[in-house]
Amino acid sequence: MTKARLFSGMQPSADSLQIGNYIGALMQWRDMQDAYDAFFAVVDLHAITVPQDAAQLRDKTRRTAAQYIAAGIEPDKSTLYVQSQVPAHAELAWILSTLTGFGEAQRMTQFKDKSQRYGADSSSVGLFTYPVLMAADILLYQTKVVPVGDDQKQHVELTRTLAERFNSRFGETFQVPDPVIQKETARIYDLQAPTSKMSKSAESQAGVLYLLDDINVTAKKIMRAVTDNDGTVRYDREAKPGVANLLTIYAALTGRTVESIEDEYAGRGYGDFKKGLRDVVVAEFEPVRARALELLEDPAELDRALAQNADRASEAAEETLAAVYERVGLLRRG
Ligand code: AQP
């Protein structure tokens, strides 16, 4: 039986991924790559919807790919590639943009948030059509399953709408994908501001646990994480967001239940609890960090692996794109 297709990606928007990317995305990707025919992209075309420095973008793209591999995504098993190396993404995005209503795109909350952050005048049309490019990413591969955070749910809904619209207007062409939304408990918050989502491109790095940070820096950030005055290790997202966040990380990395961790630290202070978490995170990060840095020492080899994977992705993508061009009525070169 052929495996169902899976697509997901991350933007190369920082020098290092953070623990939210690791728990919320990479750990699940690693677990799913055997059961699915998986495509994992480093979505550099999405990253340039906000200004990037050219040399840094190239570096961040390699670093992101290296961290995928170091975290256990196997380029011989999954198709791990750089989005811009497969031109079909941009080509299908154009076609889909002609099927997207202006008002429909305007309703996307991520655009509203980001354009507020950067100001309406410095927000690009690319930022506005970001969800259409994401729809192209997904639909090109006849994707069945899209594992994303709940913040991306609206974009996957738009993708489904566009697939259905195209299919009904031009004939059955696209698989309509299903989002696989992680549980709320898989969302990781900033260690210094535990009501805000942890982000790799956050303004302050003090509350962000980066995979490629020096291990001593990671340890210090954990020991300095914001807690509360109550002193008990108990999960209460509303009243104790800092402790709840640390418990979420502890449980996600160890596969243990929150209750068993609460029991272990009952009657002990936050200091002990943080030391326990520090050891868990350091043990998890150390080999991933070492492997990623090793891969980055040989960029030519990394580029070769990515190019090979891009060829594989192109082959699958071109099949869909050819069908789309045919149905839409674009005259092909004779
Ligand atoms: N804090 C988080 N908790 C759980 N999951 C998270 N993800 C990101 N942050 C958390 C998941 O990681 C993937 C990365 O997607 P992305 O790179 O396209 O951008 P993002 O979601 O906007 O991630 P960041 O780290 O916040 O990046 P920047 O700072 O560039 O905006 C997604 O699967 C996401 O759900």
Side-chain angles (χ1 to χ4, degrees):
M1 217 183 73
T2 53
K3 293 176 180 174
R5 287 262 170 86
L6 176 154
F7 178 90
S8 204
M10 279 191 226
Q11 301 182 71
S13 45
D15 288 337
S16 171
L17 299 178
Q18 40 91 7
I19 199 166
N21 304 134
Y22 185 76
I23 291 172
L26 286 174
M27 284 174 70
Q28 338 229 348
W29 295 3
R30 184 170 66 200
D31 290 347
M32 294 174 98
Q33 67 179 338
D34 286 321
Y36 292 92
D37 180 14
F39 288 72
F40 298 117
V42 178
V43 292
D44 53 350
L45 295 175
H46 283 281
I48 59 168
T49 56
V50 299
Q52 302 287 343
D53 171 87
Q56 280 180 20
L57 178 63
R58 262 187 290 278
D59 187 45
K60 288 171 181 175
T61 301
R62 280 200 191 97
R63 283 169 165 266
T64 305
Q67 289 170 89
Y68 283 10
I69 298 171
I73 307 301
E74 297 174 40
D76 294 332
K77 194 183 280 177
S78 302
T79 305
L80 189 173
Y81 68 102
V82 176
Q83 184 190 32
S84 64
Q85 293 181 9
V86 180
H89 286 258
E91 295 177 82
L92 182 60
W94 176 256
I95 307 268
L96 294 177
S97 74
T98 67
L99 296 179
T100 311
F102 196 81
E104 207 167 29
Q106 256 177 333
R107 283 193 290 277
M108 296 294 122
T109 53
Q110 179 181 289
F111 175 72
K112 287 187 201 161
D113 294 347
K114 287 202 175 173
S115 59
Q116 248 167 28
R117 202 186 320 160
Y118 299 107
D121 286 343
S122 43
S123 298
S124 66
V125 174
L127 187 65
F128 184 61
T129 57
Y130 182 113
V132 180
L133 179 59
M134 181 166 158
D137 297 343
I138 296 166
L139 298 180
L140 263 183
Y141 299 100
Q142 304 296 346
T143 303
K144 180 79 188 128
V145 165
V146 189
V148 285
D150 60 352
D151 54 326
Q152 293 297 317
K153 195 172 164 201
Q154 198 186 26
H155 291 167
V156 182
E157 285 305 326
L158 177 70
T159 305
R160 288 170 58 87
T161 305
L162 292 176
E164 282 162 357
R165 188 171 299 156
F166 189 100
N167 288 348
S168 77
R169 198 173 296 177
F170 298 105
E172 224 31 58
T173 307
F174 294 123
Q175 165 81 47
V176 180
D178 296 320
V180 173
I181 309 290
Q182 312 138 26
K183 304 179 298 257
E184 156 66 14
T185 46
R187 179 173 280 232
I188 308 301
Y189 296 85
D190 191 287
L191 263 45
Q192 290 299 320
T195 51
S196 311
K197 184 187 102 142
M198 190 184 286
S199 270
K200 57 177 132 55
S201 59
E203 259 167 46
S204 162
Q205 304 198 342
V208 183
L209 296 180
Y210 291 103
L211 273 175
L212 299 185
D213 261 350
D214 184 280
I215 289 300
N216 295 320
V217 172
T218 300
K220 274 198 194 112
K221 285 181 180 175
I222 294 171
M223 296 311 290
R224 287 181 190 152
V226 165
T227 50
D228 51 56
N229 297 326
D230 163 59
T232 53
V233 178
R234 187 167 49 80
Y235 187 94
D236 184 337
R237 184 71 241 140
E238 296 302 314
K240 297 162 65 65
V243 172
N245 188 38
L246 299 180
L247 275 166
T248 303
I249 296 173
Y250 205 130
L253 293 185
T254 55
R256 289 174 55 183
T257 62
V258 165
E259 294 73 36
S260 85
I261 302 164
E262 287 172 341
D263 289 347
E264 181 182 340
Y265 291 98
R268 296 161 66 182
Y270 290 153
D272 264 6
F273 171 55
K274 284 179 170 178
K275 279 186 198 147
L277 177 64
R278 176 197 63 192
D279 294 347
V280 165
V281 174
V282 166
E284 185 78 24
F285 274 20
E286 240 176 350
V288 178
R289 177 175 182 274
R291 178 78 183 115
L293 295 179
E294 186 183 74
L295 288 162
L296 288 166
E297 272 172 24
D298 190 352
E301 179 54 36
L302 184 61
D303 289 358
R304 248 194 311 278
L306 290 171
Q308 262 176 13
N309 277 243
D311 286 345
R312 221 154 66 209
S314 280
E315 216 173 285
E318 287 299 333
E319 215 175 293
T320 304
L321 193 67
V324 168
Y325 278 12
E326 174 69 27
R327 305 238 155 97
V328 169
L330 303 179
L331 181 65
R332 310 308 290 142
R333 205 157 61 177

